[in-house]
Amino acid sequence: MPVVPKRATARRLLFQPVRGALAARDLEVLRKVPFDPRARAEGRDWPARAESMIGLKRLDNVQHCVTDVLRRGVPGDLIETGAWRGGATILMRAVLEAYGDADRRVWVADSFQGLPKPDPERWPAETGDEHWTRERLTVPLEEARANFARYGLLDERVRFLAGWFKDTLPAAPVERLAVLRLDGDMYGSTMEALCALYPRLSPGGYVIVDDYGAVPQCKEAVTDFRAAHAIADPVEWVDWTGVYWQRSRAAL
């Protein structure tokens, strides 16, 4: 497992020169950790090299939702907000390829510089949030693009929305969605994605929330949004943290 100290820590400041010198020689510091296949399957660890950390059940859920909207002809593109190395969106694009869909786009929304610093004045629930310090959540855009290309799935129908959600999502050139997958961890990232994109989700389409069970602030944002818009569609559990629901009506 790569050793990556948290941002804004003394350990990070001390380690940075060493890390830079090693990187110049294409080397890195690793620590050995025991491999737990159950944790990997359930998406409870951060794999050192894999394209996704969401585990098998949540990957199956992505496939199910995309396959279902294709079979039923629900109009719209597919998006994930918070894509990390691109694994879930690569799967989305692969399903479109497997079903011969030639029209829908896959949108990959991420800052590609980690998570934002908390904004407790705007989102009080973010007080003390430390997601922004976790550098392992930072994946450069070039790496995500390379992961798509590795599977032969990088084409003009894969669109990247690089930047903070508050800046990219409201004006994103996405007309309609059939699957909206949220993996932004934080209250603000979850709420910003829902506010900007839920109105574009077609009736019969799906909302998937990755962090609902793992991050209380994420669940709080989902609960607040659903209450504010009187959304009563039942929330179904995917695994220990992921949930999803199917949108039943058009108007908010």
Side-chain angles (χ1 to χ4, degrees), residues 15-173:
F15 183 73
Q16 198 66 12
V18 176
R19 185 183 180 194
L22 291 173
R25 301 174 62 184
D26 199 25
L27 299 172
E28 62 181 334
V29 178
L30 303 176
R31 62 184 175 90
K32 186 175 181 179
V33 297
F35 175 67
D36 184 345
R38 180 174 178 180
R40 179 63 50 84
E42 294 178 351
R44 292 180 182 268
D45 66 354
W46 290 2
R49 295 288 179 259
E51 287 84 357
S52 178
M53 66 169 80
I54 67 176
L56 296 178
K57 287 187 177 181
R58 275 171 277 160
L59 285 170
D60 286 344
N61 173 253
V62 171
Q63 181 175 345
H64 162 73
C65 290
V66 176
T67 300
D68 189 57
V69 297
L70 291 177
R71 287 174 173 168
R72 292 187 293 110
V74 177
D77 294 337
L78 320 173
I79 191 171
E80 183 176 46
T81 60
W84 200 48
R85 296 174 183 157
T89 45
I90 292 171
L91 177 57
M92 290 177 180
R93 182 66 186 88
V95 174
L96 295 184
E97 189 73 13
Y99 277 76
D101 183 283
D103 300 315
R104 299 176 198 255
R105 296 172 178 171
V106 174
W107 297 88
V108 188
D110 200 289
S111 72
F112 299 104
Q113 53 185 309
L115 276 76
K117 291 183 178 181
D119 186 356
E121 290 189 6
R122 186 181 181 197
W123 312 116
E126 291 189 351
T127 301
D129 194 300
E130 295 187 349
H131 280 93
W132 72 277
T133 68
R134 298 172 181 171
E135 190 176 347
R136 287 179 57 203
L137 295 175
T138 301
V139 176
L141 173 58
E142 295 75 16
E143 181 177 340
R145 290 178 59 87
N147 288 336
F148 273 89
R150 182 177 299 114
Y151 295 95
L153 296 171
L154 182 64
D155 59 16
E156 70 283 353
R157 291 170 58 205
V158 178
R159 302 295 180 91
F160 293 88
L161 297 171
W164 304 123
F165 295 163
K166 65 182 178 65
D167 300 322
T168 61
L169 297 184

Side-chain angles (χ1 to χ4, degrees), residues 218-234:
C218 171
K219 180 178 181 179
E220 184 177 350
V222 172
T223 300
D224 289 349
F225 182 84
R226 284 171 54 94
H229 298 286
I231 298 171
D233 301 325

Side-chain angles (χ1 to χ4, degrees), residues 198-199 201-203 225 229-233 247-252:
Y198 192 83
L201 183 68
S202 298
F225 182 84
H229 298 286
I231 298 171
D233 301 325
R247 184 174 185 179
S248 63
R249 59 188 177 91
L252 284 177

